[in-house]
């Protein structure tokens, strides 16, 4: 068995499939699906999303400098896909998908109530990179669904049914294979 050399392309997969909600200055809401999202920094907490300039939500983000990253679950998967193929120019996605806008504490953009995690973001920097513009943002607030909290106050994010995206297909999480540092941890007796 050998290896093949391909032309340059982004093969960094899987990636989170997130629903990004935005609100313009007139109070109009929209949701876009973004697969190019990721952590930028821990301290201060920062993340990035990359959006094509032709997307309806692009100018809403540019205008307000705010958005909410809503983590997607298996229960939200149909809505996630729909928000990636339908334009807010043509349809009210909150209304069409029976999603509930959730007022956020730190940004004017609304979150999606049905999402287990809503990450409030304020744009720090825009980088026009080619097909996409990367919005590098400060995380200014996080809201979590308390039904995934245990009696000790621990949030069990892996119990929420998060989904990921890989080359045009959606996947759920598989089996736990290890935990950070397991390769060097001494066995407990």
């Amino acid at each position: 068995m050998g290896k093949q050399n391909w032309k340059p392309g982004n093969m960094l997969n899987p990636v989170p499939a997130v629903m990004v909600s935005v609100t313009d200055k007139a109070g109009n809401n929209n949701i876009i699906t973004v697969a190019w999202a990721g952590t930028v920094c821990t301290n201060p907490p920062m993340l990035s999303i990359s959006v094509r300039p032709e997307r309806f939500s692009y100018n809403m983000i540019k205008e307000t400098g705010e958005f909410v990253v809503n983590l997607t679950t298996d229960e939200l998967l149909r809505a996630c896909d729909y928000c990636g193929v339908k334009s807010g120019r043509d349809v009210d996605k909150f209304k069409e998908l029976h999603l509930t806008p959730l007022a956020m504490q730190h940004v004017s953009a609304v979150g999606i109530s049905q999402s287990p995690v809503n990450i409030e973001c304020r744009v720090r920097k825009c980088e026009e990179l080619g097909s996409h513009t990367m919005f590098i943002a400060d995380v200014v607030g996080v809201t979590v669904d308390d039904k995934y909290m245990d009696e000790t106050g621990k949030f069990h994010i892996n119990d929420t049914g998060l989904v990921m995206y890989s080359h045009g297909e959606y996947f759920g999480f598989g089996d736990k294979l290890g935990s950070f540092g397991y390769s060097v941890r001494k066995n407990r007796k």
Side-chain angles (χ1 to χ4, degrees):
M1 182 180 281
K3 290 252 189 184
Q4 295 180 12
N5 288 310
W6 290 0
K7 68 178 182 173
N10 195 328
M11 296 296 289
L12 187 60
N13 280 281
V15 294
V18 299
M19 298 166 70
V20 176
S21 50
V22 296
T23 304
D24 67 15
K25 290 190 177 188
N28 300 303
N29 300 321
N30 193 43
I31 307 166
I32 59 172
T33 299
V34 174
W36 304 145
T39 300
V40 172
C41 188
T42 302
N43 189 15
M46 296 173 69
L47 60 76
S48 69
I49 62 170
S50 294
V51 180
R52 290 179 182 271
E54 59 269 17
R55 296 292 298 263
F56 181 66
S57 293
Y58 178 87
N59 287 328
M60 297 169 89
I61 297 169
K62 291 281 277 189
E63 174 189 57
T64 64
E66 297 178 342
F67 58 89
V68 178
V69 173
N70 305 275
L71 298 188
T72 303
T73 64
D74 48 6
E75 292 177 0
L76 287 169
L77 187 54
R78 183 183 175 281
C80 176
D81 185 67
Y82 184 94
C83 290
V85 296
K86 292 289 187 176
S87 174
R89 290 179 185 91
D90 306 321
V91 64
D92 179 338
K93 297 176 192 178
F94 276 97
K95 183 178 177 183
E96 183 71 24
L97 297 167
H98 307 288
L99 296 173
T100 308
L102 177 67
M104 297 283 93
Q105 290 187 338
H106 305 283
V107 297
S108 59
V110 297
I112 300 171
S113 181
Q114 290 85 347
S115 173
V117 179
N118 316 95
I119 306 167
E120 299 174 69
C121 300
R122 190 165 292 124
V123 175
R124 177 186 283 215
K125 186 177 184 181
C126 299
E127 288 287 335
E128 295 178 14
L129 300 171
S131 63
H132 289 70
T133 295
M134 179 185 284
F135 294 97
I136 300 169
D138 292 301
V139 174
V140 296
V142 177
T143 302
V144 299
D145 190 330
D146 60 11
K147 77 178 180 182
Y148 299 103
M149 302 286 287
D150 67 20
E151 61 281 347
T152 68
K154 181 179 179 180
F155 181 64
H156 293 273
I157 193 167
N158 294 327
D159 293 340
T160 62
L162 296 176
V163 297
M164 57 192 120
Y165 180 81
S166 182
H167 293 279
E169 298 177 313
Y170 302 100
F171 296 91
F173 283 170
D175 296 328
K176 178 180 173 183
L177 301 176
S179 61
F180 182 75
Y182 85 97
S183 64
V184 297
R185 193 175 298 126
K186 294 183 181 190
N187 290 334
R188 294 182 188 156
K189 296 186 182 188

